[in-house]
Amino acid sequence: MGMVGRLVAAAIVIAAWGGTAVLSHAQEQRPKMLRVEGSTTVYSWVREWLQEFRDKNPALWLIVNPTSTGRGINSLCAREIHVSMASRDQSAEDRQKAEAVGIKLINVPLGSEGVGFVVNVRNPIHDVSIEDLRKIFGGQLTNWKELGGEDVPIQVLIPPPDRATGVLVSKEFLHTSFCEDARIVPHYSTVLKVVARNEAAVSFLREKLALSGRVKALAIRKDQSSAPVQFLPETERNGSYPFVRPLALWYDGNDAANRDQIEQFVVFCVHKFRELAAE
């Protein structure tokens, strides 16, 4: 994309996992710019609405970069972006980091989304308890036969440590450290591919990937005597599925220079998530 004279070419480029979505509109003066970065989960929804946002805000050049919640807050504190996408609650560390550089960290809730624990479709296991998951990801259960499956060693796949979903699963959902021999896979799209072809693998994925049909989302029992709860949008909404995390946008409440652009984007996203919830 280049500049010819004083005209800026209108373009939209959308790429998954570390890609960038860029929106601009031809005009005689350079448009205002808004930089957004962070959670790939939030981005997976936002990218569907970028064309609509461009149509409604032609004077705003929006750059959206899906990385991770951790990288998003770091970039916000470094004043490299204006809005951070997040798929977990703010931590005390997040707030301290922001306060240290004079940022008033504002949290705007968008909605919530479940996290599905997934295995290969040929794995005979259909449901597990939370304690089973704790032992699987903590390394105490190491073979599928211990859960009634085949005599195959369990291969645990986890994301890099800066991924919000991994932090959430380890610290809040399962309350355990991941086992030392867990395989780190950098992208959730790659996790999906590995689990889809590896009968020994187990991992966790956001809703769209977990329910893609390419892998099996395990039903969850709160304890060994409880009935299993399937991972479905309706069980997320009614609160019966136990593994649901918040989605949000974070920004600097002291950023007066970019307040109008920030509000345009934030209000738009809040509205779109409300439309989803009403469907």
Side-chain angles (χ1 to χ4, degrees):
M1 183 174 63
M3 183 177 290
V4 180
R6 301 175 65 189
L7 296 178
V8 180
I12 176 170
V13 179
I14 300 179
W17 254 170
T20 300
V22 181
L23 295 147
S24 63
H25 187 275
Q27 54 184 338
E28 292 189 0
Q29 294 183 349
R30 183 178 179 85
K32 292 182 178 179
M33 181 178 292
L34 187 73
R35 294 183 180 273
V36 180
E37 184 183 334
S39 167
T40 56
T41 299
V42 176
Y43 175 75
S44 72
W45 295 103
V46 171
R47 69 181 174 185
E48 298 181 8
W49 309 322
L50 291 179
Q51 183 61 52
E52 181 181 347
F53 186 88
R54 181 184 78 164
D55 293 341
K56 292 182 176 180
N57 301 278
L60 180 62
W61 187 349
L62 174 66
I63 300 176
V64 184
N65 190 23
T67 54
S68 69
T69 299
R71 289 179 63 180
I73 184 62
N74 288 339
S75 295
L76 183 65
C77 290
R79 303 186 189 281
E80 297 171 349
I81 63 171
H82 306 101
V83 179
S84 176
M85 300 177 289
S87 53
R88 61 168 172 78
D89 288 324
Q90 289 180 2
S91 66
E93 181 182 354
D94 295 327
R95 291 188 291 270
Q96 291 168 1
K97 187 183 299 183
E99 289 172 3
V101 293
I103 286 177
K104 180 182 179 182
L105 194 57
I106 303 297
N107 177 77
V108 179
L110 296 174
S112 60
E113 185 181 75
V115 176
F117 289 83
V118 298
V119 296
N120 186 276
V121 294
R122 292 180 294 278
N123 190 320
I125 303 298
H126 293 281
D127 61 84
V128 292
S129 69
I130 294 176
E131 183 60 25
D132 290 335
L133 288 174
R134 185 176 293 119
K135 290 180 178 179
I136 290 170
F137 284 88
Q140 289 79 48
L141 284 175
T142 59
N143 194 297
W144 285 113
K145 69 179 180 180
E146 299 176 78
L147 293 165
E150 302 293 334
D151 185 6
V152 177
I154 297 173
Q155 184 176 46
V156 175
L157 309 180
I158 61 173
D162 69 336
R163 299 291 183 188
T165 307
V167 174
L168 196 68
V169 167
S170 175
K171 293 186 176 181
E172 297 188 31
F173 289 169
L174 302 183
H175 304 287
T176 186
S177 298
F178 293 132
C179 53
E180 293 183 358
D181 60 350
R183 175 183 169 189
I184 296 177
V185 181
H187 307 310
Y188 290 114
S189 57
T190 306
V191 170
L192 178 65
K193 293 176 183 177
V194 174
V195 177
R197 65 171 182 260
N198 186 341
E199 295 184 35
V202 61
S203 191
F204 42 86
L205 291 168
R206 64 177 179 262
E207 177 186 315
K208 287 185 178 181
L209 298 180
L211 299 180
S212 66
R214 298 176 60 188
V215 293
K216 182 196 297 183
L218 295 170
I220 306 299
R221 288 178 275 111
K222 292 185 178 180
D223 53 51
Q224 296 295 349
S225 62
S226 299
V229 178
Q230 297 290 334
F231 177 48
L232 298 168
E234 50 264 40
T235 59
E236 295 175 43
R237 289 193 294 268
N238 66 27
S240 60
Y241 185 77
F243 302 124
V244 178
R245 41 80 178 280
L247 306 179
L249 297 175
W250 301 346
Y251 66 93
D252 179 9
N254 293 328
D255 188 357
N258 298 288
R259 184 169 297 152
D260 290 345
Q261 300 95 288
I262 291 171
E263 288 184 356
Q264 280 179 286
F265 181 73
V266 169
V267 170
F268 174 82
C269 290
V270 168
H271 177 73
K272 298 303 292 185
F273 270 91
R274 285 178 179 170
E275 286 183 348
L276 281 176
E279 291 178 357

